[in-house]
Amino acid sequence: MTREVIIAEYFQMWITKDFSKLTEYFAPEICYTECYGSQYVGLDEVQQWIKNESAKQTVLEWQIDEIKSVDNQSFVKWFFKAHEQTTYEFDGVSVIQWNAEGKISKLDEYQSKSDHIRPYQIK
């Protein structure tokens, strides 16, 4: 299975709320840092976070715009939209490190507002 397929299937897990393949994709020593600042170390912490988060949040969209892989890293540009008490959305980037077994061992997320302005656009 390619890295691109694993990434796409992981993003899709949040929409379907089916995380049954998570242990196939994430290394036991995974270190996952959310764009909000929370960090989860080890598969047990990641699974607890997913359980809690998916109970209160519905992911409406997690669209991949681009994936670039270099050596043991992949860079993923994406758009995310979810609903809790309100609906929210943002753009983001994930920096993913792969271990020798082809599993995700580190994942760092970064976010940006999805509403873009051009303050110096010539009209």
Side-chain angles (χ1 to χ4, degrees):
M1 187 172 301
T2 67
R3 292 175 177 178
E4 292 77 13
V5 169
I6 291 171
I7 294 165
E9 287 189 5
Y10 170 65
F11 281 29
Q12 189 65 28
M13 286 180 192
W14 282 97
I15 295 167
T16 63
K17 296 188 180 197
D18 177 4
F19 295 93
S20 57
K21 291 187 178 181
L22 193 69
T23 57
E24 293 178 36
Y25 300 157
F26 282 17
E29 71 278 4
I30 179 78
C31 179
Y32 196 121
T33 305
E34 279 191 281
C35 56
Y36 306 115
S38 297
Q39 187 174 71
Y40 315 102
V41 179
L43 202 46
D44 288 341
E45 286 185 21
V46 169
Q47 288 174 316
Q48 185 62 47
W49 160 62
I50 288 171
K51 180 182 175 184
N52 291 339
E53 194 66 23
S54 62
K56 66 179 181 176
Q57 175 194 67
T58 300
V59 176
L60 304 170
E61 239 183 291
W62 202 356
Q63 173 186 324
I64 295 171
D65 296 327
E66 185 176 3
I67 300 176
K68 298 284 185 193
S69 293
V70 179
D71 298 326
N72 71 333
Q73 285 192 317
S74 294
F75 304 89
V76 187
K77 185 178 174 195
W78 42 263
F79 170 79
F80 182 84
K81 184 176 183 178
H83 182 81
E84 289 182 47
Q85 285 87 12
T86 61
T87 300
Y88 55 93
E89 62 185 48
F90 52 89
D91 293 327
V93 171
S94 292
V95 179
I96 299 170
Q97 289 186 7
W98 302 87
N99 69 13
E101 290 78 40
K103 292 187 176 190
I104 298 170
S105 60
K106 188 171 188 336
L107 195 155
D108 295 321
E109 294 178 343
Y110 303 91
Q111 76 171 357
S112 169
K113 292 181 179 180
S114 60
D115 244 355
H116 300 284
I117 60 169
R118 293 183 56 201
Y120 301 106
Q121 179 180 10
I122 298 172
K123 299 181 185 200

